[in-house]
Amino acid sequence: MNQKENHKNQIFEALSDRLERAMAYQTALTLLEWDNETLAPVQAGALTSRVQGTLSAAYQEVMTSSEVKLLISQCEKQPDLSRVERDIVREAKEDVEKLDCIPPEEYRAFQELVSESTRIWVKAKKEQDFSAFAPTLQKIISYQKKFAGYRAKDGQKLYDVMLDDYEKDFNMEKLDAFFQCLKKELVPLLKQITESRVRVDDAFLTGDYPEEKQRKLAEYMASYVGFDFEKGVLATSAHPFTTNLHNRDVRITTHYQDRVDSSLFSVIHEAGHGIYEQGIADELTQTPVGQGASMGMHESQSRFFENIIGRNEAFWVPVYGTLKDLFPDQLRGVGREMFVRAINKVEPGLIRTEADELTYSLHVLVRYELEKQLIEEDLDVEKLPELWADKYEEYLGVRPDHVAEGVLQDIHWAQGSFGYFPSYALGSAFGAQIYACMKREMDFDKLLEDGKIDVIREYLREHIHQHGKLKTSRQLIRDMTGEDFNPQYYVDYLKEKYGKLYQLEG
Ligand code: ZN
């Protein structure tokens, strides 16, 4: 190991050393965020927020120090850096630029606001009181617009700056076309389905499913699809999520409800995120390129595991027996085929995280349109609940009775994440394109029937996971499939799958 390091460029080594320090602050912040969502006591809030503020400031201080900037510019001139080292320098430079344009006191105040605001959001949601959250939301939006303004290149729109954080190469112009395509194809398809005579019985999925057994199922399933419990843990939180310290410590959560498929598919989904992070090459982890390529690519993997693998009938051939053994009474008389139809039932609902595979992107469409209005058109936050309800009625045919099942359902805005939502829909579309490519390369269903998910997982690891941020999603897709991103694969996949399930005329 020492010998290898002797060959490293000394200037790059000096930069790595500073980056490692910055990464340590980030790791501590990640751990505190995880703790806030899982185990921290209610009263920890305010004081922990201060700690988070201090750590964020320390992170910003290291990253924007004149020393780091000098080392980056020196590294850019080094002729003997490897490809990976070059990418680390490029990514670090981007991180520095992002942080550097925000005044430190504003950055710190924003971090504190955001860590406080999630608690305000939780309470407002619980009490179904949007007005308790609205002023905080307005403050967050003002900060985000101000920050985006600092970073905007000449003529760049503020929302495009935000979108760029989550998915490069996909600005409003591209996303408008993408969502237009989904709206045009999926809204009528959904209408055909809700008007079809086919009825899918899924009543047996709800009932007395003891939490203890659901937890057993969750652990079994995460492990079955390939989440490595020696490099990861599973905990309980209000809202399922994944976070990672590095590729040897990846943490997923779920929640247990009386609908058994809720936690079941949340866990497979989060395991998909986790498998991605666990699959990042050792060479990259704990460097600025040591995470998933983008939010969209991350969602492509989690939704790939959840839907393309987990809701596939072939997947259940080897494991349905295990599920029946765990819940013999609850699933009495329910055969595998009936179960698979139930977990694929299309039912327009109000809650995004509980949405079926087909309607899911329409939930995202609502949020995309509202974010555009909030950021680009100064939409008054007070109008959100009503507009939200109107859009749900228009695209999904349902209307929330209260804000907890409407505009307050997601944590993202409370965390200051604007521009994040589109990645959920993009991820689904990436996944469908990846699936089409994989089906040309291997007998996908046969592998699932034989319980050989490892072959599928390894393929994904080789083409996507291990590369971290060395490539953008578009590059990953192009290199893997030989084609540029094309949403038609997603539409075709949904039409074929649900056309069959609901016996629609082709
Ligand atoms: Zn996800």
Side-chain angles (χ1 to χ4, degrees):
M1 190 174 131
N2 275 332
Q3 236 176 3
K4 198 179 147 208
E5 293 201 332
N6 282 342
H7 285 98
K8 282 203 169 170
N9 181 299
Q10 294 211 335
I11 294 171
F12 180 78
E13 283 291 271
L15 176 65
S16 294
D17 178 66
R18 308 305 185 280
L19 293 179
E20 205 177 322
R21 200 181 308 163
M23 205 60 72
Y25 291 127
Q26 280 289 31
T27 307
L29 280 164
T30 306
L31 202 50
L32 283 174
E33 266 166 44
W34 157 271
D35 193 55
N36 270 342
E37 302 296 328
T38 51
L39 277 177
V42 186
Q43 287 208 10
L47 291 178
T48 303
S49 292
R50 302 270 312 158
V51 176
Q52 286 171 303
T54 305
L55 286 169
S56 296
Y59 169 74
Q60 195 192 23
E61 209 177 298
V62 176
M63 287 298 279
T64 57
S65 65
S66 46
E67 206 184 2
V68 163
K69 284 182 208 159
L70 180 66
L71 285 167
I72 286 175
S73 75
Q74 285 176 331
C75 277
E76 288 183 302
K77 293 178 201 117
Q78 301 298 308
D80 60 336
L81 295 192
S82 69
R83 153 93 208 275
V84 169
E85 288 168 342
R86 258 172 226 297
D87 280 325
I88 289 173
V89 174
R90 169 187 50 77
E91 197 67 30
K93 188 181 178 184
E94 264 181 44
D95 290 346
V96 171
E97 281 171 357
K98 264 182 211 165
L99 291 167
D100 206 24
C101 54
I102 300 172
E105 60 290 353
E106 285 181 21
Y107 182 76
R108 187 187 169 126
F110 177 70
Q111 294 300 332
E112 288 188 18
L113 170 67
V114 162
S115 87
E116 194 54 44
S117 73
T118 53
R119 283 182 279 276
I120 297 171
W121 164 77
V122 168
K123 191 158 176 276
K125 183 177 172 181
K126 202 170 151 208
E127 290 165 5
Q128 302 177 6
D129 179 10
F130 182 73
S131 63
F133 178 60
T136 308
L137 179 61
Q138 187 59 64
K139 270 189 226 163
I140 291 174
I141 292 170
S142 304
Y143 266 116
Q144 287 299 48
K145 287 175 73 168
K146 200 172 184 188
F147 293 168
Y150 292 146
R151 288 163 46 200
K153 311 223 161 54
D154 253 356
Q156 194 183 15
K157 295 232 166 69
L158 296 183
Y159 191 44
D160 279 341
V161 177
M162 299 177 193
L163 287 168
D164 194 65
D165 280 345
Y166 301 98
E167 198 61 69
K168 289 193 170 71
D169 309 325
F170 288 91
N171 58 13
M172 274 187 277
E173 198 191 330
K174 294 226 175 65
L175 286 173
D176 282 348
F178 170 63
F179 280 112
Q180 201 51 44
C181 166
L182 298 190
K183 204 190 304 196
K184 197 180 104 223
E185 302 268 11
L186 301 188
V187 174
L189 178 61
L190 176 60
K191 198 156 184 284
Q192 264 186 298
I193 288 171
T194 46
E195 284 167 3
S196 91
R197 279 159 207 260
V198 176
R199 290 287 162 261
V200 174
D201 176 14
D202 68 341
F204 55 86
L205 293 175
T206 308
D208 181 22
Y209 285 92
E211 188 171 324
E212 202 33 53
K213 283 191 171 185
Q214 285 199 55
R215 181 172 295 122
K216 259 196 190 141
L217 176 66
E219 282 162 5
Y220 172 78
M221 275 301 169
S223 183
Y224 180 74
V225 298
F227 182 78
D228 184 345
F229 277 99
E230 294 211 337
K231 302 174 184 167
V233 294
L234 168 67
T236 310
S237 67
H239 195 96
F241 70 99
T242 300
T243 194
N244 62 297
L245 308 187
H246 41 68
N247 70 358
R248 297 289 200 283
D249 189 345
V250 180
R251 301 173 178 220
I252 60 176
T253 71
T254 188
H255 57 179
Y256 300 103
Q257 301 182 338
D258 63 351
R259 255 198 92 111
V260 70
D261 58 335
S262 171
S263 110
L264 172 59
F265 286 101
S266 286
V267 163
I268 300 179
H269 178 99
E270 301 307 331
H273 283 301
I275 287 164
Y276 192 167
E277 291 296 336
Q278 289 178 340
I280 297 216
D282 285 340
E283 191 188 8
L284 308 182
T285 195
Q286 282 195 303
T287 76
V289 293
Q291 303 221 345
S294 69
M295 288 301 168
M297 195 43 80
H298 241 296
E299 281 305 313
S300 83
Q301 297 307 288
S302 55
R303 298 187 64 72
F304 194 96
F305 277 90
E306 176 191 347
N307 295 320
I308 291 172
I309 293 178
R311 291 185 209 269
N312 190 320
E313 177 156 19
F315 172 82
W316 288 98
V317 171
V319 291
Y320 188 61
T322 307
L323 184 70
K324 290 238 351 177
D325 287 347
L326 265 171
F327 303 109
D329 296 333
Q330 296 87 336
L331 294 174
R332 193 176 308 282
V334 178
R336 193 181 70 228
E337 201 186 321
M338 189 176 172
F339 174 76
V340 172
R341 286 173 66 79
I343 57 174
N344 282 295
K345 182 177 183 174
V346 172
E347 196 165 40
L350 293 163
I351 307 296
R352 176 184 60 85
T353 54
E354 304 291 330
D356 58 76
E357 189 182 6
L358 176 70
T359 54
Y360 189 81
S361 290
L362 299 175
H363 291 256
V364 178
L365 170 67
V366 170
R367 288 152 178 81
Y368 172 67
E369 292 186 345
L370 290 174
E371 284 192 350
K372 270 203 327 188
Q373 283 182 270
L374 283 168
I375 307 301
E376 292 298 326
E377 295 164 26
D378 293 319
L379 173 69
D380 180 0
V381 295
E382 299 288 350
K383 295 201 174 119
L384 272 176
E386 199 62 22
L387 272 175
W388 179 285
D390 290 346
K391 284 188 189 290
Y392 263 78
E393 199 156 359
E394 186 185 347
Y395 303 142
L396 289 135
V398 291
R399 197 174 178 91
D401 286 333
H402 53 79
V403 286
E405 56 181 25
V407 67
L408 283 185
Q409 66 183 270
D410 300 304
I411 195 171
H412 303 60
W413 292 344
Q415 289 176 323
S417 304
F418 288 84
Y420 187 137
F421 282 119
S423 15
Y424 291 120
L426 274 178
S428 305
F430 293 165
Q433 187 166 352
I434 290 165
Y435 180 44
C437 162
M438 286 177 81
K439 280 201 294 187
R440 293 192 294 266
E441 302 277 322
M442 59 184 74
D443 192 342
F444 199 91
D445 284 2
K446 179 80 172 52
L447 288 170
L448 288 182
E449 275 173 25
D450 294 345
K452 291 182 180 160
I453 297 185
D454 53 325
V455 177
I456 294 168
R457 194 176 61 245
E458 273 310 306
Y459 191 90
L460 293 169
R461 186 176 131 80
E462 184 193 336
H463 289 90
I464 299 170
H465 305 170
Q466 62 162 336
H467 301 293
K469 277 180 183 296
L470 295 181
K471 302 180 187 185
T472 64
S473 337
R474 269 180 89 177
Q475 282 168 321
L476 285 166
I477 286 173
R478 218 177 293 145
D479 291 352
M480 183 177 187
T481 69
E483 263 182 275
D484 206 346
F485 169 62
N486 180 355
Q488 197 57 43
Y489 284 105
Y490 179 43
V491 169
D492 290 348
Y493 161 78
L494 291 173
K495 276 186 167 169
E496 193 199 319
K497 178 171 175 177
Y498 290 98
K500 214 155 102 191
L501 190 70
Y502 283 88
Q503 298 160 19
L504 306 176
E505 305 285 312

